[in-house]
Amino acid sequence: MAPALGPTRLKLAPDLTLPIAGAWLPYTSQISQELPALQAAGRSRLGVISRIDVNWRNFARYPGLDSENSPDVLPLMSVTADHATVTLLVIPPRTQSALAATLLRQAGQCTTSPGSEHSHLYRDAQRILHRAALQCGAIEPKAAG
């Protein structure tokens, strides 16, 4: 087992039925080494994890979500456990730390400081999470008009 890199950066929304019910920010692109910590961090809300599905082949190649060459398909992880099946946005470690922290807070539906919803980072995180929900097919695209 790999040494602990720090506390597991996982935020789950209060409502686990949301299309994107949380986000995970691994420390490295070698996520297989961090899965035991993810499982431990989610156990109290999700129960024992029985299955994990991902929509990528090589996570090491994902640039940050703020990169100009960020792929159109966001890295998502479906986690099936005793109490719930949830979809998480997996934030590539190359993502700028302020955006990554904002994505974690928004995906976990944590309260924000007054006025922060007007910040560039907040709006970028909202757009990314909206794209993730669209990608899941959970919401309909906005009509052009």
Side-chain angles (χ1 to χ4, degrees), residues 66-80:
D66 51 344
S67 170
E68 65 182 39
N69 58 349
S70 181
D72 291 333
V73 177
L74 295 168
L76 301 178
M77 175 183 280
S78 176
V79 177
T80 303

Side-chain angles (χ1 to χ4, degrees), residues 18-43:
L18 291 171
I20 302 299
W24 177 41
L25 174 57
Y27 286 92
T28 70
S29 60
Q30 303 301 315
I31 65 167
S32 61
Q33 296 175 1
E34 296 186 51
L35 285 177
L38 173 70
Q39 291 175 327
R43 186 169 288 126

Side-chain angles (χ1 to χ4, degrees), residues 114-132:
S116 66
E117 67 274 4
H118 302 294
S119 75
H120 179 58
L121 281 173
Y122 185 92
R123 289 190 311 272
D124 287 348
Q126 272 190 321
R127 280 192 287 272
I128 291 168
L129 289 168
H130 182 78
R131 280 180 45 216

Side-chain angles (χ1 to χ4, degrees), residues 7-16 18 20-26 38 41-42 45-46 86-91 100-111 129:
T8 302
R9 300 179 295 189
L10 170 69
K11 293 288 184 191
L12 294 172
D15 180 357
L16 296 178
L18 291 171
I20 302 299
W24 177 41
L25 174 57
L38 173 70
R45 298 265 324 276
L46 301 174
V86 297
T87 299
L88 304 174
L89 172 66
V90 181
I91 304 166
T102 303
L103 281 164
L104 279 171
R105 280 192 302 277
Q106 283 190 27
Q109 295 186 329
C110 299
T111 58
L129 289 168

